[in-house]
Amino acid sequence: MALDGCGLFCKYTLFIFNLIFALLGFAFLGLGLWLRLSDSTRGIFQVEDFNSSAFVIAVTVLIALGSVMLIVVVFGDYGACNEKRCALQVFSALLTILAVAEIAIGVVAYSSKEQVGQHIVEFYGSLYFLYMKSGDPVIGATLTFIHKMLHCCGVTGVVVLELAQNTCPKADGFWEKIHQPNCPLLIADVFNRKAALVMGIFVGTGVLLIIALICSTTLSRKIRQSASSPQYIILTHSTSVVANPQPSQCEFVSYPYPYPDQDPVTFTPLSMANIPVAQS
């Protein structure tokens, strides 16, 4: 028995969800690999002091999350398009783990926004002073990337006195040639202002995962019901059978008509034809 309306709705909903999920997975994986392999940020991963920094952890999470999302999409598309319950069960288990992780990360990031922001500021400070000490061009390129992205200038913000002046962005006006926002305060302020948005993104993604989980469970149940329903087969005569009927197993012996011992007019036995009829 084919899927009913609810089963078809869940099937096409999962297909659209997996398409969006695949795009997000490629975006996360591509962004993580770019931050990991880019000339501007690759040097951070080569410094042992930064192996546990927030930036390194964030890039690692992006790569891992993008890879897991693409694996989830493979199971989801295969199970939904081919109506395979085993693939849908694996898909549902992975969705459950991702949904719990997304919501938990969003809540923890928002509830500990000051601590997380402080860790990011500490990472920036370590990167800045390491550049002042060693003058590594790779770290300098990384600082330039951060300064241009946030439009800030070093730890002081005073362009004339800034030791890493060569990494500061181009001034937009006359006043910015003298003073620009200092990066530590700007980083903390941006994270505090965007913490609610970050939590909303994570929690919203978790809710979408839960909706997909419900659709996956419903589709799996409909497939099971469809497989366990009795199948009815309607037999019809084939055209070839009707056109060319098979001979019967029984054989009939034909005799000439009328029978040899019958009168051709009265169809009475000849032995009785000459018997006189009594007159009343």
Side-chain angles (χ1 to χ4, degrees):
M1 186 176 68
L3 295 174
D4 57 8
C6 182
L8 290 176
F9 174 78
C10 291
K11 180 177 181 178
Y12 292 120
T13 300
L14 286 180
F15 178 78
I16 296 174
F17 168 82
N18 285 319
L19 179 61
I20 298 174
F21 214 55
L23 295 177
L24 291 176
F26 278 116
F28 288 159
L29 181 61
L31 178 60
L33 292 176
W34 178 74
L35 292 175
R36 178 64 179 84
L37 303 176
S38 176
D39 294 336
S40 300
T41 57
R42 184 170 51 192
I44 299 176
F45 298 88
Q46 300 173 356
V47 180
E48 296 182 359
D49 295 339
F50 296 152
N51 288 338
S52 60
S53 66
F55 181 81
V56 174
I57 294 175
V59 172
T60 305
V61 169
L62 281 176
I63 296 175
L65 182 60
S67 302
V68 172
M69 290 174 70
L70 293 179
I71 294 174
V72 171
V73 167
V74 171
F75 281 102
D77 275 339
Y78 177 74
C81 295
N82 297 282
E83 299 181 5
K84 300 295 184 180
R85 293 187 61 219
C86 182
L88 287 175
Q89 290 172 355
V90 176
F91 176 70
S92 299
L94 294 175
L95 280 183
T96 303
I97 297 174
L98 283 178
V100 174
E102 290 275 351
I103 296 175
I105 291 174
V107 172
V108 170
Y110 181 76
S111 60
S112 305
K113 57 183 178 180
E114 295 182 358
Q115 290 83 352
V116 175
Q118 186 62 32
H119 286 308
I120 298 176
V121 171
E122 290 177 357
F123 162 71
Y124 171 81
S126 301
L127 191 66
Y128 179 87
F129 288 110
L130 182 62
Y131 174 69
M132 292 294 97
K133 179 180 179 180
S134 62
D136 191 333
V138 176
I139 300 178
T142 305
L143 283 177
T144 302
F145 172 78
I146 296 174
H147 291 167
K148 289 183 178 180
M149 182 178 63
L150 298 177
H151 197 77
C152 58
C153 184
V155 296
T156 62
V158 181
V159 179
V160 179
L161 301 178
E162 181 57 48
L163 298 178
Q165 182 180 355
N166 59 324
T167 62
C168 294
K170 184 179 179 180
D172 292 337
F174 175 77
W175 174 249
E176 286 195 350
K177 294 181 180 180
I178 302 175
H179 184 272
Q180 294 183 12
N182 67 79
C183 293
L185 292 179
L186 185 60
I187 291 172
D189 181 64
V190 168
F191 189 83
N192 288 333
R193 287 189 288 108
K194 302 297 182 180
L197 178 61
V198 172
M199 185 189 70
I201 293 174
F202 276 98
V203 174
T205 305
V207 172
L208 291 178
L209 293 176
I210 293 175
I211 295 174
L213 176 61
I214 295 174
C215 289
S216 176
T217 305
T218 304
L219 179 59
S220 179
R221 186 174 68 252
K222 293 294 182 181
I223 293 173
R224 180 176 57 83
Q225 292 176 354
S226 176
S228 61
S229 299
Q231 304 292 324
Y232 299 96
I233 302 176
I234 300 177
L235 298 178
T236 59
H237 291 290
S238 175
T239 305
S240 60
V241 174
V242 175
N244 301 306
Q246 297 296 327
S248 173
Q249 297 295 331
C250 301
E251 294 182 358
F252 298 94
V253 179
S254 61
Y255 293 95
Y257 183 81
Y259 294 108
D261 58 346
Q262 287 184 342
D263 184 86
V265 177
T266 61
F267 301 105
T268 57
L270 294 178
S271 59
M272 299 179 62
N274 298 325
I275 298 175
V277 179
Q279 299 291 331
S280 56

